[in-house]
Structure formats: C-alpha cells, structure tokens
Amino acid sequence: MDDLIGQPLDRIDGRVKVTGRAVYAYEHDVPNAAYAVMVVSSIANGRIASMDTRAAEQAQGVLLVITHQNSLKVPGAQNQSKTSPPGHAVQALQDDVVYYANQPIGVVVAETFADAIAGAQLVQVTYAPQPPQMDLESRLADAYAPDKAGGGGDPAASHRGDVQAGMAEAKKSIDYVYRTPFEVHNPMEPHATIAVWNAPDRLTIYDATQGVFSDRGRVASVFGLPPENVRVISPYLGGGFGSKGPVWSHVILAAMAAKQAKRPVKLAVTRPQMFGMLGCRSETRQAIAMGAKSDGAITALRDDTVSHTSMFGEFVEAASLPARMLYQSPNNSTSQRLVRSNIGQPSYMRAPGEASGTYGLEAAMDEMAYALKMDPVEFRLKNYAETDPEENKPWSSKSLRECYLQGAKHFGWSKRPLEPRSMQDGNALIGWGMATSVYPTRRSVSNASARLNVDGTFSVDAGTQDLGTGTYTIMTQVAAEAFGVDAKQVRFRLGDTILPQTPVSGGSQTAASTGSAVHLASQALREKLIQMAIRDARSPLSGLGAQDVILNKGRLYARSNPARGETFRELILRSGQPHVEAKAEAKPGAEKDHYSMYAFGAQFAEARVDADLGQIKVSRMVGCFGAGRILNAKTARSQFLGGMIWGISMALYEYAAVDKRLGRWVNNNLAEYHVPVNADIGKIEAIWVDEKDDHVNPIGAKGIGEIGITGAAAAIANAVFHATGKRVRDLPITLDKVML
Amino acid sequence: MKPFSYFCPATVDEAIQGYGEAQETRFIGGGTNLLDLMKMGVERPAHLIDIGRLPLMKISPHGDGVRIGALISNTDAANHELIRTRYPVLTEAILAGASPQLRNMATMGGNLLQRTRCYYFYDPSYQECNKRTPGSGCAAIDGYNRIHAVLGQSPQCIAVHPSDMCVALTALDAVVQVKGPHGERSINMTEFHRLPGDTPQVETNLQSGELITAIDLPSIPYGKQSHYLKIRDRHSYAFALVSVAVVLDADEDGTMRHVRIALGGVAHKPWRATKAEKALTGEKADKKTLRAAAEEELADAHGYEHNSFKIELAKRAIVRAVTTVVGGQQNG
Ligand SMILES: Cc1cc2nc3c(=O)[nH]c(=O)nc-3n(C[C@H](O)[C@H](O)[C@H](O)COP(=O)(O)OP(=O)(O)OC[C@H]3O[C@@H](n4cnc5c(N)ncnc54)[C@H](O)[C@@H]3O)c2cc1C
C-alpha cells in the first residue's frame, strides 16, 4: 500500500456518525444517572445576596439543589493549571462573588432533565450588583502589559530597529485602528459531562473535551486525587474550536453534584449558557501604523493591540504576533495589553491571535497598497520575508510565494482593475481582495502504541481526541501505510485516558504530535515484525536482511521475489504470542532552536455588495496553502474550507452583541448569533502547494486546523473596499456599515 | 419548563370550550415559537390545547378570493397552486422566513401570533420588559436595539413583530377569521396586530379564548404584480431588518393605478405604508417620486443607538421593491 498517506480516504467514523450510532459525551448509557442543570447569574458584577431554593427543592423530581452555601468545598478549584489559560480558575460555587453574566451559581439535580430544568427556573436569586466593566475604548488608560502573549509563550512586546526613524523615512504612511468583536465558539455539540464516582476516590468522566489528559489532571487536582484515579472518556466530539480545550466550571460541577447526590450525574450546558462560562474570542483593538518607500518597501510597522481578560484570569488575544514575522520590515514594534472586564475567561478560539491579527495587519497592508497605488500581491511580494525577521532564523519551509502566485492564477487576479468601485453588475458592486494566511507549527510530547493481533489485524492506540476533524482517519492512514495494509485492517482507538498519553488537541498540533507518535510506534512495530520473520528459521523470509523485506498488500515478502513471503497472520500464529506490540514517544527536538516553523497561505475573495441596500455576498473565494505534508486530501480540504467559511463569518456576520450597561451578551442563541448558512457561501475552493518539510516533525505535517481562518476575513474586507471604495475597520461588516 | 396538562380536541368547539382561564391556557399549533418560549420560561402555561388535529387544514376558493385554514403549514400554503398563482407575494414572504424544517411545522395561525424576538423579552433573566412584566420598564430603549422598531413605537416598548408572512398578508388586505366563546367574527389584517402604546403586553385584538380558524384573501386581479423584498443580516435563516411587500397595478407606461405597500421589521405590527401608497397612486414610478413617497412614509420615524440605519434602509427598500415590480422583474 504505497502512498496511503495523502489519499482522500472517507472518514472512518463517517458511517457511525451519519447513522446516529456515534456516542457523544452526554449520550453514554450510565445506569441510575441523575440529571443536573446549572443556575447562572443574570448580573455581570457583584455578589449573591440570597438564594432561595425552597420551591426548587420541593419541585417534582428534584433531588438536590447546590449553591455556594451547601457546596462541597474543593480548594483545588482555585489552583492554577498549566493546561488551561494561565491563571484560569473555575467557578465552582465556592463563594458568593459574581464576575460575569452566565456564571454558574447553582446546580439543580433531578430525576429527569425536564425536572432539573423546571427546578432551576424556580431558584430565586437576589444580588448586590455593582456596575459591570465591559467597555474597552473608555478604559484604555487602565490597560496593563502581561508577561507573555499567545499559546507559544511569546513575549508580550517586540522591538527591532527604530520605528520612529523608519516612519520618518517613509514616503507614504498609514495609521488606523482596526477592531474585531467578541465571538463565542458555539460548537454544534454543546458541552456536556457525565460524572460517575466508582469509589469515594475513583472517578470516571465522560466528557466533551479536546484534551482527555489535561481534563484528568485538572479534575484530579481540584478533588485532590491522584491522576490515575480519574478516567476521562471522549470518543466523539461535535466540534470544539478551542472551547473544549480548557476544563471549565461545568466539569467540576458535574463531579461535585455526583458526589453530593451520591448518584452518577449527567450535566448538559444549554445553548444560552454557552455564552460566557466556556471562553470566547476577545474583542480586540489593533492600532496599526505603517510606513513605506515609494517602491513599496516597508520602512516601519507598529501594531499595538489591546484585548480583554477576565477579572480572575489572564489570556492574551495575541493579534500582534503576525506583525512581528510576516514581512521584512526593518523597523518593527508590537505590543499587547489587557483590560480586565466582567466577562467569562477569554480563551483559545480557532487560530487565537492569528485570526484576529491577520485581519488588522492584512487590512492595513491593503490600505498601504492603495496608498502606493500598487497591486496588493505585488506589495506583499516586495516585502517577502526570506527568513524570519524577528527571530533571525531560516524557515523550516515556506511556500508563500507559490501560494500567492498559484492562488492569484486560480482566482484570475490578473484581470483586477486597481481602482475601487470599478466593477458592477446590476445593483451589485463587485470587488476583489486578498490577504496572507499564517499559523505557527507546533507540537508537544505524544505517545502511541501499535499492536499486531492474532487474527492478523492491527490495533493502534493513542489517548488523543477527534473534534470531528478526521483524527481517526489520518491516524489510521499513517499506521496502515507503515504496515502496508488496507486501512480496514487497522483499528485506531482514541479518546480515553487508559490509552497512551497525548497532548490537548489545540494549536493545530494533533497531526504533528500524535501523528508523529503513531508513525514512530508503527515503524517500531514494523521493524519488530521484520526482525521476527528474518530471524525465524520457519519463516520464508528467514535470513534476509531487514532492508530486503517489503510490507505490502497485507503481506511481508522479499524485495527480490514477491512470491517469497507470508501473511501477518501466519507470522503471529507461528510465534505463539497473543499479540506483538511496540510503543513510541514523539517529542519536539532541537528543530525549534534552528528553524522558524509556520504554515502559510494566500486567500482571494470576491464580494458583491448591493449598492443601495448594503447586503454583501462572498460570491467566490480561493485559498491556497503551504502546510507541509497533507495526510488526507479530503479531511484537509474540509479543514481549509471550514476555516475559510469561519473567516466569512468573522468578516460579515459574527459577533456577540454587547449590552454595556448590563455587561451581557444579548444575542445568546443560534437564531440571533449569526454564522453563515449555506445560502451565504458562494463558490469556495481550497488548493495547496506540495510541501516537503523534513524539519518540523517525523511525518512532515504542519497542521491545518487553523490556518484556513487566518487572512480570510481581511481578504473579504479588502474585497468589500475594492467593491465600494468604503473602508470599514470594525468587524463584522454588516450592511448598515456599508450602506450609509 | 413548568409542568402542564395536555388536551388534544377533535373539534373546534371542544377546543374553545377547553380553553378555560386565559392566563393559564395556550393553544399550540406547530409549537415552533410557543415551545421555545416555554423552555425559556417566558410562557408558563398550565394547560396546552393541541389544535393540531382540528379540521382547519384546507386551502380553497372562497367567493372571489381564497380561504386558508389556520392549521395549514407555512410550507403548504407557500407552495399551494392557488397561492402561487394568485398571491405570489405571500409565497415569497413565507419562503423568506425561518428554515424549511420550521416552515413544515409552523401553522398559519401560529405565524400570525408569533412573538417578538426582542432579546430582553425572550429571556426572563432581564428584569425590564413591559411586554413580559407590565410596568417593569423597557431594557431595549437604552440597551442593544439593532433589531428594534423605528415606527409606531412607544416609550413602553420598541419591539418589532418579526413575521414575514404577516407583511404580505397586510399588503393583501387579508381577513382573519376567529371563533371564540362568544361566536365567530372577522378581523381585518390591518386591525389584527396593535401598536404597543401603554399596553405592549396586548399584541393583537384577539380576545381571550378566541381561536383563529382561517385567513381569507380577497380577490386582487393584479396580485401577480408583486414582490417581497427582505433585507437581513445573512441570506437565509435570519429575521428581517427591514422588509417590503409590494402589490401594484401599473399601466404600460408605468403609471400606478393601485399600490399596496407594507413594511416589516420596523414596527410592533406589520406596517401598512398608507402615506406612500397615496403619494404613488396615479404617479409614474420614477426614482424621484418613489424616493419622495418613501420619505413621506418614514417622516415620523425615530431610531435609537443601534437601529437608526433602518430608517434610511426602509426608504431605499421601498424604492427598490417598487422599482423591481414596475420593471417587471418579479412575479410578473
Ligand atoms: C430559529 C427561528 C427562525 C425563524 N425565522 C423566521 C423568519 O425569518 N421569519 C418569520 O416570519 N418567522 C420566523 N420564525 C418564526 C416562525 O415563523 C414561527 O415560529 C411560526 O410561524 C409559529 O407557528 P407555530 O404554528 O409553530 O406556532 P406556535 O408556536 O404553535 O404558536 C405560536 C402562538 O400562537 C398561538 N396559536 C397558534 N395557533 C393558533 C390558533 N389557530 N388560534 C389562536 N392561537 C393560536 C399559540 O397559542 C402561541 O401563542 C422563526 C422561528 C425560529 C425558531
């Protein structure tokens, strides 16, 4: 089976999903389970003055109502956790303080879900409210500089050269503020947890989580248990987008409720409750100044970004990171600052930092290209960074130039008139815009094991998660290719802490980290099997050199004579062993010290804007990416397209609408929190440049889950400008912003 | 949600008799709005009367017009031969709303009585809402009010009626047939919904316990010269920011003999644009005349922090919708 890796194999889990047989977190059949529903705060700042639970307690089916007055005390809830946003704390009913709207302040446990919901509506709460703080603009003076920025632990600020001198040298300069709004993840599957105490100090959790091991670690630390006493199971996820990476309050509350009710407990977060306690993409304010010579060379670039964090934790929406490394600007400075607000903890959301940051930077690049009367692609090529200008390191690989050229060709960019508002079709003004995509390539320590079973099939295990992205499928492909068997001969298991330890599925690192571990474990098993054969006098391969044995089409055979060989089943049966196993750990090496590692891309968009009514449609979009080795052409394409579609959402539709007086997001349901529907998506294509990168990791994959959203919003915003001649600098670009 | 009793009568009279105490009882049609509101705790009925089996499921010629049974689904009404051919603006309006799944469930009666999507009404954890709790105030006036009213609102309430279908029915001068404890009566569509005034909790002129049995559409010979224009934040599955239903009778030379215009998304009820209609009747549909008529209609409009754009948008929408019909680009 040559080249199984890369094939557009259908999803291994596709059939069980579309037939409804895939069991998601809330659906595990746990005997004797009770149902828990959270009571949440309706104010954003203050204290709980009183909670009257009597009516709820007497309601039909209600077993228990937990508030801060009778909750199990879990001092570990305040512990810092390495696996959550730094300083992240859960709200586990330990006191009467309210930090944000929709904060959990109680749990009603009942015999049925309906009883629990009805009971929760009967809890009477009075508050001692304080005015909430939620506005960014009016509190810029209070902003502070954090120590670090972003998931990679980058410094919060950067400087090279002399920006002031660079600006003075410039022929053209721009200086604008770009804004992105609060966004809430809203995966299709709301968060849900089932907690079962198997013994007073043993806990099993069925959870919708992007990290079974980080979940285990956090829960164990909160309840003061050794991690091995906690088992976390998560075979299927209905999306996560980062929101299921950290361990949020409801997981702790499910376990607490199960302990206090002395019953297994199922807890589902309702859709309206998802707006607050489960993270968000923070609003950003990106002040960007740029100077350039008349030939287009950037002389200076400055990006000062401010975002929100919560009152109790710290997370930086590191939107200034792309401005550090994307262009060869000799004089460069960036900074990140934070204001504390009465919101749930902002956190990771698909391409945290880069998604927002490529909007500001790439819209500014477009403005500068117009100032210079230069084609936007040409302007970017003029400032192409051949090496990482911030780190002074070579790129492990970079195909951005090819992405610009191939993407432009595919889109038909060369026919674009430079002038804005120069293409029209009836009532529709038409515009073309483009932008650069970038996302760092990361990996973490990961383990995997591979086993040949007595029936000749293979089992491969790693604790990791499949968010719906295709982990089951690509891991199966990586293993099957190593063994030279059909994908059907390999059974890959994931989503359980009894399996080999793996990192959280975030930062687009699962393919790189766990894919490498699966690759190494499979290679190790392959070697073991070859050795078994060539050292066994009874094997037809006895006496051959290891390099002379080929694994293909389910057999091991001699390179020189394919008829000389045997099946895996023959090999293992003869050995008398129940199975043969190999394990491997893959960990980041020195590559990070020697190379800067990123995936890059270029996005092109066509926007049609109704000249009078302002309605916008992205009629066409092309994304071209250079993202290392593509493990499965089908799941990869879906990831790119999904990212690009979220970019359309970010550009045109999506925002959590803020009522600043109340400190609340008012559009907390999927009818009013708009993401694109089918009718909003025109012709959209993702293509990629073949890229071989021997430096990033053993399988050469860069991770593709996040790059698709980066640059997408800017490409669309730039297309809207090209269509209308009107520059909107705060997302989303709703019709009122362009029609007036 | 609060526990409730459930009764599924077979006849209209049983349904009306079963109604009992108004505050505590609700008819349930498709349930696509009522159930959501019950889950949120906005509606807390003790008794539900499921009218889903009542024999009100016919669309048939009625005099010169057409009668639509109250329990006809939105999908079936939109796709019915009599509606598609005689009142295409109604088909367009219904199909512009919600999603296919919702339209399959939603009934004509339920659509008439669907409630506002004002955030502060929809979630009882907001303390201020005169519609939900009379006298408690209006959180929207100084809150986030992008989707709210610019015409006919009051200091008590700035919510809008969200229906698309009702905008077309208003332009068509439909008549709502109801039956209650005191017998049958007819209510003109323009009189069916109310402006908020000091009693935003009273949304229609339906009396307690009255059941909607049918909607009658009068004969409109020029019904095909019509268009429903819906402007929204995405291309499907979003409520109207502004919508316009236009039905008109224009001569070959573009002179309009009859003009019917109704606006959606701008008021507590579907807004019959009588001023614009008057200004346009007998005139030619040139841009200047249209713009002047639209200006006149919106002269008393008043916006808030986030929704003032609706005033200009409504004007442009009127111009566009009428131009489209006169230009013969829709339903012609
Ligand atoms: C996500 C979402 C998006 C939507 N988008 C749109 C949109 O874009 N445009 C739009 O127009 N609509 C939209 N809708 C609303 C939808 O059209 C209404 O929910 C539907 O028409 C209500 O009909 P129903 O039969 O389900 O009513 P129900 O929910 O059953 O009832 C609604 C009300 O009417 C009363 N009632 C029902 N039938 C009768 C009767 N015969 N006599 C007396 N009282 C009665 C009930 O007591 C209740 O108070 C949307 C709804 C949802 C959930």
Side-chain angles (χ1 to χ4, degrees):
Chain A
M1 280 288 150
D2 296 326
D3 295 334
L4 183 57
I5 295 181
Q7 292 296 314
L9 196 68
D10 286 345
R11 272 164 206 271
I12 303 258
D13 49 336
R15 184 174 283 266
V16 291
K17 280 186 174 168
V18 299
T19 54
R21 283 180 292 137
V23 180
Y24 288 82
Y26 196 68
E27 301 169 339
H28 288 272
D29 193 8
V30 173
N32 197 32
Y35 293 78
V37 165
M38 288 181 284
V39 179
V40 296
S41 71
S42 62
I43 64 158
N45 188 19
R47 286 180 182 274
I48 299 163
S50 71
M51 284 181 83
D52 182 349
T53 58
R54 283 169 300 182
E57 276 156 352
Q58 277 148 32
Q60 173 186 311
V62 171
L63 301 167
L64 174 69
V65 181
I66 310 174
T67 70
H68 65 284
Q69 283 151 336
N70 65 344
S71 61
L72 185 73
K73 292 300 169 248
V74 283
Q78 302 311 323
N79 289 353
Q80 304 261 329
S81 161
K82 283 200 215 89
T83 53
S84 298
H88 173 73
V90 296
Q91 283 72 50
L93 315 183
Q94 301 295 293
D95 56 37
D96 61 358
V97 185
V98 175
Y99 298 103
Y100 60 93
N102 260 354
Q103 174 183 320
I105 56 172
V107 178
V108 175
V109 186
E111 290 290 352
T112 67
F113 176 67
D115 290 343
I117 284 267
Q121 286 179 356
L122 293 174
V123 175
Q124 299 290 327
V125 190
T126 56
Y127 301 94
Q130 295 286 324
Q133 306 288 340
M134 206 157 168
D135 189 44
L136 195 65
E137 207 60 36
S138 61
R139 294 187 298 134
L140 290 176
D142 303 337
Y144 73 96
D147 293 339
K148 298 269 177 211
D154 298 272
S158 73
H159 301 280
R160 62 175 185 264
D162 179 342
V163 169
Q164 227 177 340
M167 287 305 256
E169 202 188 321
K171 189 90 188 139
K172 297 277 179 201
S173 61
I174 59 161
D175 189 351
Y176 294 115
V177 173
Y178 301 88
R179 293 184 171 84
T180 61
F182 284 113
E183 290 181 356
V184 181
H185 307 72
N186 275 307
M188 283 285 273
E189 177 205 26
H191 295 54
T193 306
I194 303 175
V196 186
W197 289 90
N198 312 95
D201 63 347
R202 286 193 171 269
L203 179 61
T204 300
I205 287 187
Y206 302 88
D207 202 10
T209 176
Q210 289 174 234
V212 288
F213 286 95
S214 46
D215 210 351
R216 177 181 78 164
R218 182 81 168 121
V219 171
S221 106
V222 168
F223 289 93
L225 303 171
E228 21 340 324
N229 285 18
V230 179
R231 179 176 174 192
V232 178
I233 299 171
S234 185
Y236 297 103
L237 285 173
F241 312 115
S243 73
K244 291 172 182 166
V247 179
W248 303 107
S249 309
H250 68 280
V251 180
I252 306 303
L253 293 177
M256 179 188 285
K259 187 120 207 162
Q260 291 190 243
K262 302 189 177 65
R263 292 262 296 266
V265 159
K266 289 186 161 197
L267 188 154
V269 181
T270 67
R271 183 64 65 183
Q273 289 176 347
M274 295 193 56
F275 289 70
M277 66 174 93
L278 304 168
C280 65
R281 196 196 293 283
S282 170
E283 179 183 23
T284 66
R285 179 191 193 277
Q286 307 172 35
I288 301 180
M290 193 188 295
K293 294 189 202 156
S294 37
D295 67 354
I298 295 173
T299 56
L301 173 60
R302 198 184 64 227
D303 180 333
D304 297 309
T305 292
V306 188
S307 61
H308 299 258
T309 192
S310 70
M311 290 292 175
F312 49 87
E314 193 170 281
F315 178 83
V316 181
E317 187 62 41
S320 71
L321 294 184
R324 295 182 186 176
M325 46 62 66
L326 204 44
Y327 299 106
Q328 191 61 55
S329 74
N331 304 297
N332 205 282
S333 105
T334 69
S335 74
Q336 290 282 154
R337 285 183 305 144
L338 290 172
V339 296
R340 289 206 178 273
S341 297
N342 288 108
I343 52 175
Q345 181 58 56
S347 182
Y348 307 100
M349 186 189 290
R350 201 174 198 170
E354 280 79 10
S356 312
T358 49
Y359 161 64
L361 176 62
E362 291 298 295
M365 288 293 287
D366 200 60
E367 301 216 45
M368 184 52 106
Y370 280 103
L372 293 161
K373 296 199 172 28
M374 241 177 126
D375 175 80
V377 174
E378 212 178 297
F379 176 50
R380 285 167 175 83
L381 287 171
K382 174 77 189 169
N383 292 286
Y384 198 82
E386 300 290 353
T387 56
D388 183 337
E390 183 68 18
E391 304 251 317
N392 280 316
K393 281 189 278 194
W395 310 108
S396 65
S397 60
K398 179 176 181 177
S399 315
L400 180 55
R401 183 174 280 113
E402 292 83 341
C403 291
Y404 287 137
L405 300 179
Q406 286 190 24
K409 186 159 174 227
H410 208 83
F411 186 83
W413 184 258
S414 62
K415 296 193 209 79
R416 177 181 183 268
L418 203 60
E419 260 317 284
R421 219 181 163 99
S422 53
M423 299 193 285
Q424 189 156 3
D425 172 16
N427 290 315
L429 304 171
I430 300 172
W432 293 356
M434 60 81 56
T436 309
S437 300
V438 63
Y439 194 76
T441 301
R442 304 195 178 101
R443 64 172 172 139
S444 309
V445 184
S446 184
N447 294 269
S449 67
R451 204 165 60 226
L452 171 61
N453 301 309
V454 73
D455 63 358
T457 64
F458 291 87
S459 299
V460 178
D461 291 343
T464 191
Q465 307 69 221
D466 190 332
L467 279 69
T469 47
T471 311
Y472 277 111
T473 313
I474 59 167
M475 297 303 166
T476 303
Q477 281 172 279
V478 168
E481 176 159 305
F483 306 132
V485 298
D486 192 273
K488 290 199 180 70
Q489 297 299 107
V490 176
R491 180 160 173 257
F492 178 69
R493 290 195 300 174
L494 57 65
D496 195 329
T497 50
I498 62 170
L499 303 175
Q501 186 150 354
T502 51
V504 72
S505 289
S508 297
Q509 65 167 353
T510 299
S513 310
T514 303
S516 290
V518 166
H519 171 76
L520 294 182
S522 302
Q523 289 299 333
L525 178 59
R526 178 193 157 98
E527 289 310 313
K528 223 170 177 172
L529 297 175
I530 292 173
Q531 291 299 330
M532 270 172 68
I534 60 182
R535 288 184 188 176
D536 184 347
R538 292 167 298 172
S539 166
L541 300 169
S542 169
L544 283 178
Q547 70 285 358
D548 296 327
V549 180
I550 288 190
L551 273 62
N552 194 14
K553 302 222 160 71
R555 292 173 71 244
L556 307 90
Y557 59 82
R559 184 180 298 275
S560 56
N561 174 12
R564 179 180 167 192
E566 61 180 331
T567 64
F568 290 110
R569 188 166 149 78
E570 285 162 346
L571 176 71
I572 188 154
L573 279 180
R574 201 173 52 239
S575 79
Q577 298 177 41
H579 58 253
V580 185
E581 189 175 55
K583 296 183 174 169
E585 179 185 77
K587 59 181 170 196
E591 69 267 7
K592 219 178 152 184
D593 304 332
H594 303 307
Y595 298 99
S596 263
M597 299 178 290
Y598 289 87
F600 293 92
Q603 307 228 22
F604 297 82
E606 175 178 278
R608 295 172 71 94
V609 185
D610 189 299
D612 304 317
L613 308 176
Q615 278 180 306
I616 304 172
K617 169 130 187 178
V618 177
S619 41
R620 218 151 59 77
M621 208 168 164
V622 171
C624 183
F625 304 95
R629 189 175 187 191
I630 298 302
L631 302 176
N632 178 319
K634 192 172 191 175
T635 56
R637 183 172 169 275
S638 297
Q639 284 302 302
F640 290 136
L641 292 183
M644 291 165 73
I645 288 167
W646 201 340
I648 294 174
S649 189
M650 191 169 185
L652 303 182
Y653 305 114
E654 196 173 345
Y655 65 105
V658 179
D659 183 323
K660 285 176 192 163
R661 300 165 314 157
L662 303 176
R664 295 182 64 172
W665 290 326
V666 296
N667 56 343
N668 62 349
N669 58 68
L670 292 184
E672 298 297 337
Y673 183 91
H674 290 158
V675 298
V677 295
N678 267 321
D680 295 310
I681 304 303
K683 187 171 187 238
I684 171 166
E685 291 172 274
I687 56 177
W688 51 87
V689 175
D690 281 328
E691 197 175 68
K692 191 167 171 340
D693 189 325
D694 294 330
H695 305 301
V696 276
N697 53 55
I699 56 169
K702 279 185 175 175
I704 52 171
E706 296 171 271
I707 178 120
I709 187 175
T710 70
I716 295 158
N718 295 342
V720 170
F721 173 76
H722 188 237
T724 62
K726 181 157 186 165
R727 184 69 69 175
V728 177
R729 299 190 183 88
D730 60 323
L731 298 184
I733 307 175
T734 47
L735 58 89
D736 46 309
K737 296 180 189 171
V738 290
M739 64 160 280
L740 292 177
Chain B
M1 61 183 118
K2 184 175 144 189
F4 53 84
S5 75
Y6 176 85
F7 170 48
C8 188
T11 68
V12 168
D13 289 337
E14 270 174 51
I16 293 165
Q17 277 151 27
Y19 196 85
E21 275 302 302
Q23 284 304 313
E24 292 282 285
T25 307
R26 288 287 181 276
F27 294 124
I28 178 164
T32 60
N33 190 217
L34 184 60
L35 285 180
D36 278 2
L37 290 165
M38 286 168 67
K39 287 183 205 164
M40 292 302 294
V42 178
E43 294 270 19
R44 300 175 57 79
H47 313 288
L48 277 191
I49 299 180
D50 185 346
I51 54 177
R53 312 243 168 96
L54 299 185
L56 303 172
M57 290 193 238
K58 258 190 19 213
I59 301 185
S60 48
H62 183 74
D64 291 340
V66 171
R67 170 164 287 185
I68 308 172
L71 284 165
I72 289 285
S73 76
N74 282 186
T75 301
D76 287 345
N79 292 325
H80 197 278
E81 176 78 15
L82 285 174
I83 306 300
R84 287 193 95 95
T85 52
R86 297 200 207 168
Y87 309 100
V89 71
L90 182 57
T91 298
E92 265 191 290
I94 292 175
L95 296 182
S99 65
Q101 295 90 331
L102 284 159
R103 296 194 296 266
N104 289 343
M105 287 303 294
T107 64
M108 299 302 278
N111 195 322
L112 279 170
L113 291 178
Q114 65 169 296
R115 307 197 69 187
T116 182
R117 310 303 286 201
C118 172
Y119 322 108
Y120 304 97
F121 166 75
Y122 224 83
D123 182 344
S125 71
Y126 293 106
Q127 277 169 5
E128 292 180 323
C129 176
N130 287 325
K131 190 183 276 301
R132 198 166 14 80
T133 316
S136 61
C138 173
I141 287 182
D142 294 321
Y144 187 79
N145 43 36
R146 184 164 191 273
I147 62 175
H148 290 77
V150 293
L151 283 168
Q153 67 273 33
S154 76
Q156 312 302 324
C157 181
I158 62 169
V160 299
H161 193 265
S163 170
D164 293 299
M165 177 188 96
C166 292
V167 182
L169 291 180
T170 300
L172 291 168
D173 273 324
V175 177
V176 182
Q177 300 296 341
V178 308
K179 186 168 185 188
H182 309 297
E184 297 181 13
R185 63 188 186 112
S186 312
I187 310 172
N188 289 339
M189 192 59 201
T190 44
E191 301 298 314
F192 187 80
H193 297 96
R194 296 163 56 109
L195 289 177
D198 288 334
T199 53
Q201 72 278 16
V202 187
E203 293 169 352
T204 68
N205 287 318
L206 206 62
Q207 298 296 310
S208 147
E210 277 183 329
L211 179 78
I212 298 168
T213 55
I215 298 170
D216 289 348
L217 301 173
S219 158
I220 302 177
Y222 51 89
K224 276 194 165 187
Q225 293 183 57
S226 61
H227 179 37
Y228 185 70
L229 171 66
K230 180 173 180 181
I231 302 161
R232 47 187 149 175
D233 271 329
R234 59 184 169 192
H235 291 84
S236 180
Y237 199 51
F239 290 93
L241 290 167
V242 168
S243 68
V244 187
V246 177
V247 187
L248 57 76
D249 184 13
D251 285 344
E252 301 270 293
D253 72 347
T255 307
M256 296 174 283
R257 271 182 293 164
H258 301 278
V259 190
R260 298 149 169 268
I261 302 175
L263 303 178
V266 292
H268 198 256
K269 60 183 283 188
W271 187 265
R272 186 69 185 258
T274 46
K275 290 180 194 159
E277 289 176 356
K278 215 184 206 164
L280 293 177
T281 306
E283 300 293 325
K284 276 199 182 152
D286 60 77
K287 284 258 145 83
K288 218 171 127 202
T289 312
L290 288 172
R291 179 74 201 188
E295 293 282 358
E296 204 176 327
E297 188 61 50
L298 275 294
D300 295 333
H302 171 71
Y304 300 85
E305 185 179 353
H306 308 99
N307 75 342
S308 294
F309 72 94
K310 280 189 176 184
I311 299 171
E312 176 61 24
L313 186 59
K315 293 177 192 170
R316 295 189 193 177
I318 291 171
V319 175
R320 172 70 61 83
V322 175
T323 311
T324 304
V325 180
V326 175
Q329 287 156 7
Q330 286 290 326
N331 299 336

